[in-house]
């Protein structure tokens, strides 16, 4: 049995300690840099001028060349003031600083005249950043607030190259999600463990191309969310809205009776921030309650205990349901954030933050529309908390250190106690009536749990070693404890409920303690006419498990064959080089090139699910299907990315960015077939799948001129591989299809995607913003009578194209926009289809050429279609200084 502490974990802790001493404790990109030059009216440098970031304690003096550098600036919009005795002071407003980027501003001071009034200059942020070396998009809090989006996922899916969470053709789970520079991914599935509301976001940075060596455990992209923090003055903000689905005149097409449910969504959110009584200490506290009801309503005609033993139509029997109507699916969510920030210690910033998500969800299952009380409830509790310390070692060097404890607790069951007597009813039964199928007795017997507890230590050191080179080095150590499985099996045998802890050798939930660590170093060379970001990352992984000593005798159950003891999994270590280059052409255009190796260790659920090889003891009898066996000794998956781009500032309001990229995807988890000494065959995971992605993105940004601003991005992409998920090969083999590798489009291979954002903004009055997404159809596997075996090549067909439009309108009132009322409309034109399910015989979501009960049941199911139009109305109020 595995113990929580193992010699390999002790080795990892020692490794982390050595890295801590060697690299000094630091962390990744949560702050930016201000740099520039101060000159007089004749263009000569102003020496020893003071440059201050208003409202902060950050500042610097200019050197002999008039240059200044201010490190460790939190993302946001600032006023920056330059002054020197004998010169007029100059204040630049609207200076936007982004995480992990350098904002350059230059000051020109007037003649030596003590009576010259202070000059105020508005900073002009260029429509495209000419000095970035890879594809990334940054959205500020103001940009996010104006759009019809609600949470972090909505913001991410607006970016070029992102299709339903897939970045540039990669599989799901290949994106690193971070909050304030520290991962919030769940080691179980490599997905984000938190839902983050837009009201908490100071800035969101989405890197969809190559990324620096500081980011790891990702092959496709990085999402870095920077949270707001308390300021020097008290501020209260609140938002409330309500709404629901509204699709008059389209009820028949959607196969539902009611078209108006305007109380299905409710949201209450408030944030309080400001100073604490302690010196130089600020706080931010936020809480949110969110309730959502699906547009499909259930009618309680039956109760789980109703007993219909006659095989005839159950609708002819008297049922005990009260006929009450209710949402078939719903979500209730409670979330909150608490953040403390202190600058009381000299040259040191200390902060503590706590993020909490609690969700209760009942999925919408059409089969249970007359028996809603039988559907299992999914519950999630996610908490991320920890400390961040930033210490300045001088004007050009600072260090960061972060310690986190992230927990994730998920359950899926109807009743908390698997021995609850209410389970002792009847098996779930259904009937087909009037082209529809529904359940009329019994309950779902789902009983699943998943828990992850991760301890993360992360640090980095940033030093501007000279005027051209900024060096960053750091480390990361992650110690997750992952538990998942079915605590008690509930199943009916001969109409009798049995509770089993041991089913075919599976002994309840498993718990695993892998170890992950990394160290990196990178440098940014900035010569003005050439910017180079280059570095390398070393990743370490130990699954801390065992595999069969002889794959041909996996359970040591074959007679006459020598047994082999299980062997420990090997420790994996990889090196990933990365480089990005930008060539600015004067101040109007730039060419960039980026290249890198990106490696990711597979998720715990993929490696360890079904990894108990003792179940194969009767394999040679061929009496059971054992599924795909897990393999904790697989290598990391790997992607090599290339991209080249051209950026052009056409004028101060308009610019474009054209980028071409290619991804060579190797060592993805797939299936291999292993022969035993008796000739029996079983399948297990290994690094055999592969793929590639080729694409082009074109981003156009037209900054606000008068009230109007526009932005658009277009993505052309071709993403292919031999399998869309690790088990696909085994599934094809089980269906009697050819399991040999072939190159086919991935399920998410969306050839054309257009995101268009338009807004009308009158300061202090109206803001109207619309987001339109136009997408070509994703692949599906057609079914035609002409094809051999009544089938066709995998993903040979294309679904219909789709268009979605979301709208937000806001009317502001009060001094400094103290309040506003707003309206949001999602799916404005009530689009019924957007890359959902289609009938394989026609490629249409609306009809099938095959006449069968299953096709008729599917046709009557409205959950196949996209959610209808949703209308929300609300109010925002604020008090205090921004």
């Amino acid at each position: 049995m595995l113990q929580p502490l193992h010699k390999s974990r002790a080795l990892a802790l020692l490794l982390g300690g050595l890295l801590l001493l060697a690299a000094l404790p630091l962390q990744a990109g949560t702050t930016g840099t201000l740099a520039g030059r101060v000159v007089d009216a004749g263009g000569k440098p102003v020496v020893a001028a003071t440059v201050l970031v208003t409202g902060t304690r950050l500042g610097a003096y200019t050197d002999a060349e008039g240059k200044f550098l201010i490190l460790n600036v939190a993302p946001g919009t600032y006023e920056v003031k330059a002054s020197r005795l004998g010169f007029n002071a100059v204040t630049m407003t609207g200076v936007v600083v982004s995480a992990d980027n350098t904002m350059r501003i230059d000051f020109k001071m007037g003649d030596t005249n003590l009576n010259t009034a202070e000059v105020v200059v508005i900073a002009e942020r260029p429509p495209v950043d000419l000095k970035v070396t890879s594809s990334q998009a940054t959205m500020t809090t103001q940009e996010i607030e104006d759009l019809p989006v609600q949470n972090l996922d909505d913001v991410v899916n607006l970016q070029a190259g992102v299709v339903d969470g897939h970045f540039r053709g990669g599989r799901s789970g290949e994106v690193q999600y971070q909050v304030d520079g520290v991962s919030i991914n769940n080691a179980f599935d490599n997905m984000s463990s938190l839902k983050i509301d837009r009201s908490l976001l100071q800035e969101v940075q989405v890197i969809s191309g190559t990324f620096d060596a500081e980011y790891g455990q990702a092959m496709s992209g990085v999402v870095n969310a920077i949270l707001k923090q308390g300021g020097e003055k008290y501020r209260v903000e609140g938002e409330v809205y309500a709404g629901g689905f509204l699709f008059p005149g389209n009820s028949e097409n959607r196969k539902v009776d009611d078209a108006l449910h305007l109380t299905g969504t409710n949201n209450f959110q408030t944030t309080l921030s400001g100073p604490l009584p302690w010196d130089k200490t600020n706080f931010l506290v936020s809480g949110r309650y969110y309730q959502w009801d699906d547009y499909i309503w259930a009618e309680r005609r039956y109760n789980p205990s109703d007993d219909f033993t006659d095989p005839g139509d159950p609708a002819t029997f008297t049922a005990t349901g009260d006929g009450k109507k209710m949402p078939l699916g719903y979500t209730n969510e409670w979330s909150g954030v608490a953040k403390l920030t202190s600058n009381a210690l000299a040259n040191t910033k200390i902060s503590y933050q706590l993020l909490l998500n609690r969700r209760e969800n009942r999925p919408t299952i059409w089969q249970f529309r007359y028996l809603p009380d039988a559907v299992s409830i999914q519950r999630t509790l996610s908490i991320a908390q920890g400390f961040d310390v930033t210490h300045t070692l001088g004007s050009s060097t600072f260090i960061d250190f972060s310690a986190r404890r992230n927990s994730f607790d998920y359950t899926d069951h109807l009743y908390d106690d698997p021995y609850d007597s209410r389970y002792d009813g009847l098996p779930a039964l259904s009937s087909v009536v009037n082209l529809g199928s529904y359940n009329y007795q019994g309950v779902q017997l789902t009983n699943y749990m998943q828990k992850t507890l991760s301890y993360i230590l992360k640090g980095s050191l940033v030093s501007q070693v000279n005027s051209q080179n900024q060096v960053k080095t750091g480390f990361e150590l992650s110690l997750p404890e992952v538990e998942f499985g079915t605590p008690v099996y509930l199943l009916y045998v001969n109409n009798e409920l049995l509770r089993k802890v041991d089913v075919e050798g599976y002994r309840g939930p498993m718990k695993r303690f892998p170890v992950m660590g990394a160290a990196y170093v990178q440098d940014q060379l900035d010569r003005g006419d050439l910017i180079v970001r280059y570095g390398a990352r070393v990743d370490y992984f130990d699954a801390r498990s065992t595999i069969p000593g002889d794959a041909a005798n996996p359970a040591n159950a074959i007679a006459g064959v020598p047994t082999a003891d299980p062997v420990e999994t090997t420790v994996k270590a990889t090196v990933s080089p990365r480089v990005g280059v930008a060539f600015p052409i004067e101040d109007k255009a730039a060419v960039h090139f980026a290249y890198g190796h990106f490696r990711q260790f597979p998720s715990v659920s993929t490696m360890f699910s079904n990894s108990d090889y003792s179940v194969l003891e009767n394999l040679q009898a061929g009496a059971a299907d054992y599924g795909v066996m897990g393999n904790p000794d697989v290598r990391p998956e790997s992607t090599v990315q290339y991209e080249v781009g051209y950026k052009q500032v056409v004028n101060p309001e308009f610019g474009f960015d054209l980028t071409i990229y290619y991804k060579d995807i190797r060592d993805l988890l797939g299936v291999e077939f292993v022969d035993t000494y008796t000739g029996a065959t079983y399948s297990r995971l290994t690094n055999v799948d592969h793929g590639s992605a080729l694409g082009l993105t074109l981003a156009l940004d037209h900054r606000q001129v008068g009230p109007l601003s526009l932005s658009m991005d277009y993505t052309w992409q071709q993403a292919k591989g031999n399998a869309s998920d690790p088990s696909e090969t085994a599934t094809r083999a089980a269906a009697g299809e050819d399991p040999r590798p072939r190159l086919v489009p991935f399920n998410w291979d969306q050839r054309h995607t257009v995101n268009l954002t338009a807004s009308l903004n009158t300061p202090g009055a109206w803001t109207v913003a619309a987001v339109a997404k136009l997408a070509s159809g994703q692949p599906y596997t057609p079914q035609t009578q002409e094809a051999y075996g009544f089938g066709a090549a995998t993903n040979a067909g294309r679904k219909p194209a789709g268009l979605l439009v979301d709208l937000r309108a806001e009317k502001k009132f009060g001094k400094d926009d103290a309040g506003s009322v707003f309206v949001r409309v999602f799916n404005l034109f009530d689009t019924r289809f957007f890359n959902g399910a289609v009938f394989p015989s026609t490629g249409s979501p609306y009809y099938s050429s095959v006449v069968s009960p299953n096709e008729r049941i599917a046709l009557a199911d409205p959950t196949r279609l996209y959610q209808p139009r949703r209308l929300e109305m609300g109010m925002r109020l604020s008090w205090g200084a921004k």
Side-chain angles (χ1 to χ4, degrees), residues 249-262:
N250 211 13
S251 301
E252 177 60 29
N253 289 332
R254 290 191 172 276
K255 307 294 183 183
V256 292
D257 297 329
D258 298 313
L260 181 63
H261 299 297
L262 287 180

Side-chain angles (χ1 to χ4, degrees), residues 253-274:
N253 289 332
R254 290 191 172 276
K255 307 294 183 183
V256 292
D257 297 329
D258 298 313
L260 181 63
H261 299 297
L262 287 180
T263 58
T265 301
N266 292 284
N267 181 88
F268 305 91
Q269 184 273 330
T270 185
T271 301
L272 173 64
S273 62

Side-chain angles (χ1 to χ4, degrees), residues 780-795:
Y780 78 98
T781 301
Q783 187 180 57
T784 61
Q785 295 181 356
E786 289 77 14
Y788 174 76
F790 205 62
T794 301
N795 285 343

